[in-house]
Amino acid sequence: MMPSTKLQVSVIICTLNEAENLPHVLPRIPGWVDEVIIVDGRSTDGTIQLAERLCPRARILMQPGRGKGNALRYGISQASSEIVVTLDADGEMDPALIGAFVDALRAGYDFAKGSRLASGKPSRMSSFRYLGNRILTLAFNLLYSTKFTDVCSGYNAFWREAFLRIPLTYDGFHMDQQLLARAMKSGLRIIEVPHHSEGRIAGRSKTIGLKQGVIDLWVLVRERLCA
C-alpha cells in the first residue's frame, strides 16, 4: 500500500546470516520506497551477495560494531530520507505494510510501533517466546501507563529527526526497549500499528531466550526509575 502523499522513505534492514530469509523480504519491498539500506554484521552465509542480486538498488553497509542496536543506529544515521522504517530480515514482517506505517506518521504521530501480537500468537513463535513477549509488554504497560500489545516488534517507523534526538546507549537487542521507553519519556506521539506475522521463517533467533528477557525487563525498570 502506497502512502496517500509521497514522502521520502528509507527502509533499514539489519542482517547477520539471513540468506535463507532474504528472498521472502527484499523482493517484497514496494518500489515507491526511496532508499533501502542493509546493515550487515559480517555475515558468512552469502547474505551480502544474495542481497545484491535480490535488491540491486540497496546500499549495503558494514556494521561498525556489534549488536542490533548498533546496526540500527548506524543505518539510521546514514539514511537520507525524512522517514525511516525498520524491518527485520527474518521474514516475519510483510514489507507491503510499510505504507500503513508511513501514513501513521503523516497523521501526526512521531513513532509508529509495530505489533505482531494484536491478534494473538504467531504460528511459528514458540509458546515460551510468546509468553516472554506478553510479560514484557505487561510490564511496560504497568510502568508507563500504556496499552500496547507488543513492545518487541522490530517493525517500526519514525521521523528520522525525532529518532536522532533520543539518546540511546545500548548496542544489543535491548536498545528496542530503551528506544520505546525514552520515546515515551520524551513525549513523542506513539501509535501501535498491528501487522500480521507468523514468526521467523528459517534459522534461529539471534536473541538468547530467558537471558534476553531478563535484560529487557531490567532496561524497562531502569529507564522508568532514572530521570
Side-chain angles (χ1 to χ4, degrees):
M1 179 178 66
M2 183 174 181
S4 51
T5 299
K6 189 69 173 73
L7 292 164
Q8 295 291 304
V9 176
S10 294
V11 170
I12 312 290
I13 302 173
C14 302
T15 57
L16 177 60
N17 296 327
E18 295 287 2
E20 290 184 275
N21 294 313
L22 287 186
H24 303 279
V25 179
L26 295 181
R28 299 170 65 188
I29 295 176
W32 53 261
V33 168
D34 299 281
E35 181 178 51
V36 179
I37 296 177
I38 297 171
V39 184
D40 189 73
R42 294 170 178 78
S43 296
T44 58
D45 68 342
T47 287
I48 294 176
Q49 295 77 9
L50 181 60
E52 290 172 337
R53 294 199 300 271
L54 293 173
C55 189
R57 66 188 178 114
R59 291 172 57 197
I60 299 179
L61 308 177
M62 291 297 103
Q63 180 179 347
R66 298 181 65 183
K68 180 186 176 184
N70 174 271
L72 274 179
R73 291 203 310 276
Y74 180 63
I76 293 166
S77 74
Q78 300 301 304
S80 61
S81 302
E82 55 200 315
I83 288 177
V84 172
V85 179
T86 63
L87 190 66
D88 286 347
D90 57 9
E92 185 175 2
M93 303 158 187
D94 184 359
L97 296 177
I98 290 173
F101 285 79
V102 174
D103 275 340
L105 300 187
R106 286 191 62 257
Y109 290 95
D110 302 303
F111 188 166
K113 183 78 184 78
S115 172
R116 305 156 297 168
L117 310 181
S119 57
K121 185 177 85 67
S123 63
R124 288 191 294 267
M125 179 182 284
S126 71
S127 296
F128 177 78
R129 188 172 294 274
Y130 175 72
L131 178 61
N133 275 268
R134 299 300 293 178
I135 290 172
L136 282 174
T137 300
L138 176 61
F140 191 97
N141 288 335
L142 290 173
L143 289 166
Y144 296 89
S145 300
T146 53
K147 295 182 179 179
F148 293 126
T149 61
D150 183 7
V151 297
C152 297
S153 173
Y155 206 163
N156 301 304
F158 27 76
W159 297 99
R160 180 175 178 271
E161 182 181 356
F163 178 92
L164 294 177
R165 290 200 306 267
I166 300 174
L168 299 170
T169 58
Y170 295 125
D171 287 340
F173 282 89
H174 42 298
M175 191 211 74
D176 285 338
Q177 312 306 321
Q178 186 183 50
L179 169 62
L180 187 56
R182 293 194 173 184
M184 287 290 302
K185 292 196 292 185
S186 298
L188 295 189
R189 292 159 295 182
I190 304 172
I191 186 172
E192 194 170 66
V193 178
H195 65 90
H196 179 73
S197 171
E198 295 301 337
R200 165 178 282 274
I201 290 179
R204 299 182 63 181
S205 172
K206 306 301 188 296
T207 62
I208 306 174
L210 181 59
K211 178 181 177 180
Q212 186 63 52
V214 171
I215 293 172
D216 288 346
L217 183 59
W218 176 83
V219 168
L220 293 182
V221 173
R222 184 178 187 275
E223 288 293 324
R224 187 68 183 91
L225 296 179
C226 295

